[in-house]
Amino acid sequence: PEEREARLWEAIRDLEVLSGRRLADPDNPLLIAMRSAVAEYVPGFMPTYLNVGLTPELLPGLPPRYGEEGAARIRLNSRKTILEALEPETFRLVEHEIRPGMSVEENLAVARRLEALIERNNPKLLWSAAEQVRFFLSRIYDYFGGHLTALRNFMLREVHYPAVIVQRMVCTVIDDQSYAGVLYSRHPRLGTGVFMQYARAVYGEDLMTGRLQAEERHFKSREEARRDFPAVYHFWDRLGQLEAIFRSPVMVEFTGVHGTFTILQVNPAELTGSGMLTAVM
């Protein structure tokens, strides 16, 4: 445990250098996504913890950077993530209060209620960014150990360890023009064009875990994406390059914010038999 925490802090220091931001810095804060994975791709199985590092000192700086609406959604997501990992049973009692399309005031009211529940159990998780990092690291390993029997069905080797991936948070809840989703380099069933599953003003984890129903689009040409999905339009030519690297159709988990396309994960994609035959031809 001591070694893995040391390695995590090394990774966070590297991320601070790469991003130009610092954990727990009110003037230039670094919010972190802590993703976990195993060597074999099992989508939506291992946990992801978003907006790690949000403390009360950082709250005043959120609206100037993300807008009032985005700031309220970030605060609520952070508190939801902590409470769900800390007290799953308590979270299930209040989960119904979190709904898409809530106003700024509604988001903040629910966030404050969750903060009160967290403070009752472990106030350090609200006030210390470092404590949040340690807490989620332990939760990842606890989850891995608790689900190892199921995970072994997907594993090809005898010795296994979970991977912990740290990324700078990309805010896909700034406004209704921001979206998160999955982009397939080929339609999984038809084998032609580019297929996208997405939702606006949400975090991608809600799609990957099935909590939200995704919208779908099938683009037969790049130009079809230009007006409504400019980030996908600009990224289009990279899909062929990724197929060449993976020697396979690919599935790209991404965010599109103000025309900027950010890759979160890339993995080989499975096609149906007819889709693969069409793609090959």
Side-chain angles (χ1 to χ4, degrees), residues 31-36 45-53 77-78 80-86 132-144 164-167 169 203 205:
L31 296 180
I32 293 174
M34 290 178 65
R35 304 177 184 275
S36 60
F45 194 97
M46 292 291 288
T48 292
Y49 302 111
L50 302 181
N51 292 303
V52 179
N77 176 268
S78 166
K80 174 189 85 71
T81 301
I82 293 173
L83 183 62
E84 187 174 11
L86 180 65
Q132 290 181 28
V133 168
R134 295 189 189 97
F135 171 71
F136 288 124
L137 178 64
S138 69
R139 280 293 182 268
I140 288 170
Y141 273 80
D142 290 345
Y143 186 94
F144 179 80
V164 180
I165 306 156
V166 293
Q167 297 174 323
M169 275 297 303
Y203 290 104
E205 276 56 43

Side-chain angles (χ1 to χ4, degrees), residues 51 54 62 67-80 99-104 107-108 111 171-178 200-203:
N51 292 303
L54 183 63
L62 294 183
E68 295 288 346
E69 191 172 348
R73 289 171 174 167
I74 289 170
R75 181 174 177 178
L76 176 57
N77 176 268
S78 166
R79 290 7 185 176
K80 174 189 85 71
R99 309 179 310 276
M102 292 197 302
S103 67
V104 171
N107 275 299
L108 291 176
C171 184
T172 53
V173 296
I174 294 177
D175 52 38
D176 290 337
Q177 297 306 307
S178 303
R200 295 187 183 275
V202 302
Y203 290 104

